């Protein structure tokens, strides 16, 4: 390693009206260098705030919310390299959520960590890291 410092673009917030607003003091997404990092997104409909009842429906909405944030920065689900998934009922809902997840990501799918978490009245939350492709 030469020890030289390569200047990178500063981090910047990414917003989309097609994704629910933050529920607290944080950014929904930050672009930093070639990466986009998202906060954990829940299944709230960005227009109505409604939350569907099943893990399949909630997973579809979370992925739609993520796609909206990614697209706001010129990316899409194909650019995702890492995802972290939280399930309220890990053992009960894993297979159903995984089936929907597989519909949205082509091979090679992102690396993924899936854990059980207390999600305060939702069934699934997902955050991702996306990599901007070289032009």
């Amino acid at each position: 390693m030469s020890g030289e410092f390569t200047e990178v673009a500063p981090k910047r917030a990414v917003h989309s009206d097609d994704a629910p607003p933050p529920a607290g003091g944080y950014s929904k997404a930050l672009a930093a260098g070639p990466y986009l990092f998202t906060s954990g997104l829940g299944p709230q409909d960005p227009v109505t705030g409604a939350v569907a009842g099943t893990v399949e429906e909630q997973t579809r909405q979370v992925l739609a919310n993520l796609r909206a944030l990614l697209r706001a920065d010129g990316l899409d689900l194909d650019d995702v390299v890492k995802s972290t998934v939280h399930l309220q009922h890990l053992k009960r809902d894993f297979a159903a959520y995984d089936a929907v997840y597989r519909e949205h990501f082509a091979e090679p799918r992102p690396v993924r960590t899936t854990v059980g978490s207390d999600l305060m009245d939702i069934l699934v939350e997902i955050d991702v890291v996306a990599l901007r492709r070289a032009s």
Side-chain angles (χ1 to χ4, degrees):
M1 236 169 136
S2 66
E4 293 180 27
F5 176 75
T6 303
E7 189 173 328
V8 296
K11 68 182 180 181
R12 62 182 167 73
V14 175
H15 306 280
S16 173
D17 291 338
D18 295 324
Y26 58 91
S27 298
K28 277 293 181 178
L30 283 178
Y35 296 100
L36 180 74
F37 300 86
T38 73
S39 295
L41 294 182
Q44 295 80 5
D45 181 288
V47 174
T48 67
V51 174
T54 69
V55 72
E56 295 93 343
E57 294 167 321
Q58 288 192 22
T59 301
R60 281 187 187 88
Q61 185 62 60
V62 170
L63 293 170
N65 294 342
L66 283 166
R67 178 175 273 138
L69 273 177
L70 290 163
R71 286 184 174 168
D73 202 44
L75 300 166
D76 207 335
L77 291 175
D78 289 340
D79 300 303
V80 172
V81 295
K82 168 78 170 106
S83 66
T84 303
V85 180
H86 298 264
L87 294 175
Q88 177 70 34
H89 306 286
L90 181 61
K91 289 180 184 179
R92 182 191 82 183
D93 289 344
F94 182 86
Y97 125 80
D98 186 59
V100 173
Y101 184 96
R102 287 170 181 262
E103 294 170 5
H104 289 78
F105 291 99
E107 292 288 346
R109 291 187 177 95
V111 297
R112 179 178 80 186
T113 300
T114 306
V115 298
S117 298
D118 183 353
L119 296 178
M120 302 187 327
D121 301 326
I122 61 173
L123 300 176
V124 61
E125 177 180 282
I126 303 173
D127 66 82
V128 300
V129 177
L131 175 63
R132 194 170 316 287
R133 299 170 194 222
S135 304

